[in-house]
Amino acid sequence: GDSVTQMEGPVTLSEEAFLTINCTYTATGYPSLFWYVQYPGEGLQLLLKATKADDKGSNKGFEATYRKETTSFHLEKGSVQVSDSAVYFCALSIYTNAGKSTFGDGTTLTVKP
Amino acid sequence: GAGVSQTPSNKVTEKGKYVELRCDPISGHTALYWYRQSLGQGPEFLIYFQGTGAADDSGLPNDRFFAVRPEGSVSTLKIQRTERGDSAVYLCASSLAGYDTQYFGPGTRLTVL
Protein backbone atom coordinates (compact mmCIF):
# COMPACT_ATOMS: atom_id res chain seq x y z
CA GLY A 1 0.00 0.00 0.00
CA ASP A 2 0.86 3.68 -0.06
CA SER A 3 2.98 5.13 2.73
CA VAL A 4 4.88 8.25 3.72
CA THR A 5 7.92 8.32 5.99
CA GLN A 6 9.03 11.55 7.57
CA MET A 7 12.14 12.50 9.45
CA GLU A 8 11.49 12.02 13.13
CA GLY A 9 11.36 15.05 15.34
CA PRO A 10 11.26 17.13 17.22
CA VAL A 11 13.50 19.58 15.41
CA THR A 12 14.78 22.63 17.26
CA LEU A 13 16.52 25.43 15.38
CA SER A 14 17.66 28.95 16.06
CA GLU A 15 16.08 31.78 14.11
CA GLU A 16 17.57 32.25 10.62
CA ALA A 17 18.90 28.68 10.52
CA PHE A 18 18.43 26.45 7.45
CA LEU A 19 15.66 23.88 7.65
CA THR A 20 15.36 20.48 6.01
CA ILE A 21 12.65 17.98 6.86
CA ASN A 22 13.04 14.72 4.98
CA CYS A 23 10.11 12.90 3.41
CA THR A 24 10.12 9.71 1.36
CA TYR A 25 7.17 7.80 -0.03
CA THR A 26 6.02 4.54 -1.56
CA ALA A 27 3.03 4.59 -3.87
CA THR A 28 1.15 2.10 -6.00
CA GLY A 29 0.43 4.72 -8.65
CA TYR A 30 1.70 8.14 -9.68
CA PRO A 31 1.16 10.39 -6.67
CA SER A 32 0.80 14.09 -6.09
CA LEU A 33 2.84 15.21 -3.09
CA PHE A 34 1.98 17.72 -0.40
CA TRP A 35 3.29 19.44 2.68
CA TYR A 36 0.75 20.53 5.28
CA VAL A 37 1.40 22.67 8.34
CA GLN A 38 -0.45 22.72 11.64
CA TYR A 39 0.22 25.78 13.77
CA PRO A 40 -0.48 25.56 17.51
CA GLY A 41 -4.22 25.55 18.13
CA GLU A 42 -5.10 25.63 14.44
CA GLY A 43 -6.23 23.17 11.77
CA LEU A 44 -4.18 21.60 9.00
CA GLN A 45 -3.29 23.97 6.18
CA LEU A 46 -1.84 23.14 2.81
CA LEU A 47 1.65 24.64 2.62
CA LEU A 48 2.72 23.53 -0.87
CA LYS A 49 2.27 20.79 -3.41
CA ALA A 50 3.78 19.24 -6.54
CA THR A 51 1.89 17.08 -8.99
CA LYS A 52 4.60 15.61 -11.21
CA ALA A 53 8.25 14.65 -11.19
CA ASP A 54 10.77 17.51 -10.97
CA ASP A 55 8.05 20.02 -10.06
CA LYS A 56 8.97 22.39 -7.25
CA GLY A 57 6.29 23.55 -4.85
CA SER A 58 6.92 26.76 -2.94
CA ASN A 59 5.12 29.00 -0.48
CA LYS A 60 6.09 31.37 2.35
CA GLY A 61 9.79 30.74 1.69
CA PHE A 62 9.40 26.96 1.91
CA GLU A 63 10.28 24.75 -1.05
CA ALA A 64 10.10 21.07 -1.92
CA THR A 65 11.03 19.28 -5.15
CA TYR A 66 9.29 16.11 -6.35
CA ARG A 67 12.11 13.60 -6.91
CA LYS A 68 10.74 10.47 -8.54
CA GLU A 69 14.12 8.73 -8.78
CA THR A 70 14.62 8.90 -5.01
CA THR A 71 10.87 8.90 -4.14
CA SER A 72 11.42 11.96 -1.99
CA PHE A 73 9.85 15.35 -1.32
CA HIS A 74 12.07 17.06 1.24
CA LEU A 75 10.93 20.37 2.73
CA GLU A 76 13.47 23.21 2.91
CA LYS A 77 13.61 26.80 4.05
CA GLY A 78 16.67 28.98 3.94
CA SER A 79 16.02 31.06 7.05
CA VAL A 80 13.41 30.01 9.59
CA GLN A 81 11.51 32.36 11.87
CA VAL A 82 9.95 31.84 15.27
CA SER A 83 6.56 31.99 13.58
CA ASP A 84 7.42 28.85 11.59
CA SER A 85 7.16 26.78 14.78
CA ALA A 86 4.52 24.17 13.96
CA VAL A 87 3.98 20.53 13.05
CA TYR A 88 4.69 19.69 9.41
CA PHE A 89 3.08 16.75 7.61
CA CYS A 90 4.13 15.22 4.31
CA ALA A 91 1.33 13.55 2.34
CA LEU A 92 0.52 11.95 -0.99
CA SER A 93 -2.59 11.27 -2.99
CA ILE A 94 -3.20 9.14 -6.06
CA TYR A 95 -5.49 10.33 -8.83
CA THR A 96 -7.16 6.95 -9.16
CA ASN A 97 -7.98 7.11 -5.43
CA ALA A 98 -9.85 10.37 -5.97
CA GLY A 99 -7.59 12.38 -3.72
CA LYS A 100 -7.66 10.18 -0.66
CA SER A 101 -4.53 11.32 1.15
CA THR A 102 -1.91 9.29 2.99
CA PHE A 103 0.02 11.24 5.63
CA GLY A 104 3.31 10.88 7.43
CA ASP A 105 3.40 11.09 11.21
CA GLY A 106 4.46 14.73 11.31
CA THR A 107 7.61 16.57 12.37
CA THR A 108 7.46 19.15 15.14
CA LEU A 109 9.59 22.21 14.49
CA THR A 110 10.48 24.68 17.23
CA VAL A 111 12.36 27.82 16.29
CA LYS A 112 14.03 29.73 19.13
CA PRO A 113 14.85 33.43 18.96
CA GLY B 1 -15.63 33.05 3.11
CA ALA B 2 -16.40 30.44 5.70
CA GLY B 3 -14.09 27.48 5.95
CA VAL B 4 -14.86 23.93 6.99
CA SER B 5 -16.50 23.82 10.40
CA GLN B 6 -16.87 20.90 12.78
CA THR B 7 -19.00 20.47 15.84
CA PRO B 8 -18.56 19.86 18.64
CA SER B 9 -14.95 20.91 19.10
CA ASN B 10 -14.63 18.56 22.04
CA LYS B 11 -16.68 15.52 23.00
CA VAL B 12 -16.24 13.44 26.12
CA THR B 13 -18.25 10.25 26.37
CA GLU B 14 -18.30 7.00 28.25
CA LYS B 15 -17.33 3.65 26.88
CA GLY B 16 -20.27 2.00 25.13
CA LYS B 17 -22.09 5.23 24.27
CA TYR B 18 -23.10 6.48 20.82
CA VAL B 19 -21.67 9.72 19.40
CA GLU B 20 -22.26 11.86 16.34
CA LEU B 21 -19.72 14.27 14.91
CA ARG B 22 -20.78 16.91 12.41
CA CYS B 23 -18.94 18.51 9.50
CA ASP B 24 -20.04 21.54 7.48
CA PRO B 25 -17.95 21.74 4.32
CA ILE B 26 -17.17 24.81 2.29
CA SER B 27 -20.20 25.78 0.25
CA GLY B 28 -20.12 24.28 -3.23
CA HIS B 29 -17.53 21.61 -2.42
CA THR B 30 -18.75 18.27 -3.73
CA ALA B 31 -16.05 16.11 -2.15
CA LEU B 32 -15.87 15.50 1.59
CA TYR B 33 -13.36 13.43 3.56
CA TRP B 34 -13.16 12.17 7.14
CA TYR B 35 -9.81 11.41 8.76
CA ARG B 36 -8.82 10.31 12.26
CA GLN B 37 -5.67 11.60 13.94
CA SER B 38 -4.28 9.86 16.98
CA LEU B 39 -1.76 11.55 19.23
CA GLY B 40 1.65 11.82 17.62
CA GLN B 41 0.48 10.49 14.27
CA GLY B 42 -0.66 11.86 10.97
CA PRO B 43 -4.27 11.86 9.84
CA GLU B 44 -5.60 8.46 8.76
CA PHE B 45 -8.23 8.27 6.02
CA LEU B 46 -11.67 6.99 7.01
CA ILE B 47 -14.19 7.75 4.26
CA TYR B 48 -14.68 9.89 1.15
CA PHE B 49 -17.98 11.25 -0.19
CA GLN B 50 -18.59 12.50 -3.68
CA GLY B 51 -21.92 14.25 -3.45
CA THR B 52 -24.32 12.18 -1.34
CA GLY B 53 -22.66 8.82 -1.86
CA ALA B 54 -19.72 7.26 -0.08
CA ALA B 55 -17.27 6.69 -2.93
CA ASP B 56 -14.66 5.04 -0.72
CA ASP B 57 -15.23 3.82 2.84
CA SER B 58 -12.20 1.55 2.95
CA GLY B 59 -10.71 3.39 5.93
CA LEU B 60 -13.57 2.80 8.35
CA PRO B 61 -12.04 0.54 11.02
CA ASN B 62 -15.13 -1.60 11.68
CA ASP B 63 -18.92 -1.63 11.50
CA ARG B 64 -19.27 0.57 14.59
CA PHE B 65 -18.32 3.50 12.37
CA PHE B 66 -20.76 4.94 9.85
CA ALA B 67 -21.04 8.25 8.02
CA VAL B 68 -23.78 9.94 6.03
CA ARG B 69 -24.12 12.98 3.79
CA PRO B 70 -27.82 12.92 2.85
CA GLU B 71 -28.03 16.20 0.95
CA GLY B 72 -24.51 16.39 -0.40
CA SER B 73 -23.43 19.07 2.04
CA VAL B 74 -23.29 18.47 5.80
CA SER B 75 -21.89 15.12 6.88
CA THR B 76 -22.23 13.23 10.14
CA LEU B 77 -19.80 10.61 11.39
CA LYS B 78 -21.51 8.18 13.74
CA ILE B 79 -19.74 5.88 16.17
CA GLN B 80 -21.66 3.19 18.03
CA ARG B 81 -20.61 1.43 21.23
CA THR B 82 -17.56 3.67 21.63
CA GLU B 83 -14.32 2.19 22.90
CA ARG B 84 -11.37 3.87 24.59
CA GLY B 85 -9.32 3.23 21.46
CA ASP B 86 -11.67 5.51 19.51
CA SER B 87 -10.24 8.51 21.36
CA ALA B 88 -8.64 10.77 18.75
CA VAL B 89 -9.13 13.99 16.81
CA TYR B 90 -11.60 13.48 13.96
CA LEU B 91 -10.86 15.74 11.01
CA CYS B 92 -13.10 16.66 8.14
CA ALA B 93 -11.90 18.09 4.84
CA SER B 94 -13.68 19.22 1.71
CA SER B 95 -12.59 19.95 -1.84
CA LEU B 96 -14.23 21.40 -4.91
CA ALA B 97 -14.16 17.97 -6.52
CA GLY B 98 -12.32 14.74 -5.92
CA TYR B 99 -8.56 15.16 -6.20
CA ASP B 100 -8.63 18.96 -5.74
CA THR B 101 -6.92 20.68 -2.84
CA GLN B 102 -8.44 19.61 0.46
CA TYR B 103 -9.37 22.20 3.08
CA PHE B 104 -9.43 20.91 6.63
CA GLY B 105 -11.65 21.81 9.54
CA PRO B 106 -10.36 22.34 13.09
CA GLY B 107 -11.35 18.84 14.15
CA THR B 108 -13.40 17.28 16.92
CA ARG B 109 -11.43 15.90 19.84
CA LEU B 110 -13.21 12.75 21.04
CA THR B 111 -12.34 11.32 24.43
CA VAL B 112 -13.84 8.00 25.49
CA LEU B 113 -13.58 7.38 29.21
Side-chain angles (χ1 to χ4, degrees):
Chain A
D2 303 333
S3 68
V4 175
T5 302
Q6 280 184 241
M7 170 176 138
E8 288 190 18
V11 174
T12 302
L13 295 173
S14 297
E15 207 165 22
E16 299 184 2
F18 184 85
L19 168 72
T20 300
I21 301 177
N22 290 338
C23 171
T24 57
Y25 67 90
T26 59
T28 51
Y30 197 118
S32 291
L33 302 173
F34 306 84
W35 277 100
Y36 286 85
V37 58
Q38 190 168 32
Y39 297 105
E42 298 184 18
L44 273 173
Q45 302 174 28
L46 178 66
L47 180 60
L48 54 84
K49 69 178 183 181
T51 58
K52 61 183 187 295
D54 299 325
D55 269 4
K56 179 186 284 187
S58 61
N59 186 24
K60 299 182 180 179
F62 291 89
E63 294 183 339
T65 301
Y66 188 141
R67 300 288 188 201
K68 192 176 179 196
E69 64 276 12
T70 54
T71 62
S72 65
F73 193 55
H74 304 321
L75 183 68
E76 297 183 336
K77 187 175 186 183
S79 175
V80 293
Q81 306 299 312
V82 172
S83 57
D84 294 326
S85 298
V87 183
Y88 293 81
F89 293 92
C90 186
L92 68 82
S93 64
I94 308 282
Y95 179 78
T96 51
N97 277 340
K100 174 176 79 174
S101 293
T102 300
F103 287 81
D105 284 339
T107 302
T108 301
L109 170 66
T110 301
V111 180
K112 298 193 171 182
Chain B
V4 178
S5 62
Q6 293 184 247
T7 54
S9 55
N10 279 285
K11 176 69 177 179
V12 180
T13 191
E14 294 179 344
K15 180 176 179 296
K17 299 289 189 182
Y18 168 84
V19 296
E20 290 189 351
L21 312 179
R22 176 186 167 110
C23 172
D24 279 88
I26 293 172
S27 177
H29 280 194
T30 64
L32 186 145
Y33 305 81
W34 284 99
Y35 294 85
R36 177 169 69 175
Q37 187 175 16
S38 299
L39 193 62
Q41 297 182 9
E44 177 187 23
F45 170 79
L46 296 177
I47 187 169
Y48 156 59
F49 286 92
Q50 180 56 49
T52 60
D56 183 349
D57 64 358
S58 62
L60 294 177
N62 52 59
D63 61 6
R64 295 187 298 105
F65 288 74
F66 189 71
V68 295
R69 194 185 186 200
E71 297 178 357
S73 178
V74 170
S75 176
T76 305
L77 179 65
K78 309 181 181 195
I79 309 174
Q80 299 178 322
R81 304 183 304 279
T82 53
E83 299 177 356
R84 292 194 181 86
D86 299 335
S87 297
V89 176
Y90 289 81
L91 298 171
C92 176
S94 71
S95 65
L96 197 57
Y99 201 60
D100 286 323
T101 297
Q102 295 179 31
Y103 297 87
F104 282 81
T108 294
R109 182 175 299 278
L110 175 66
T111 303
V112 182
L113 300 176

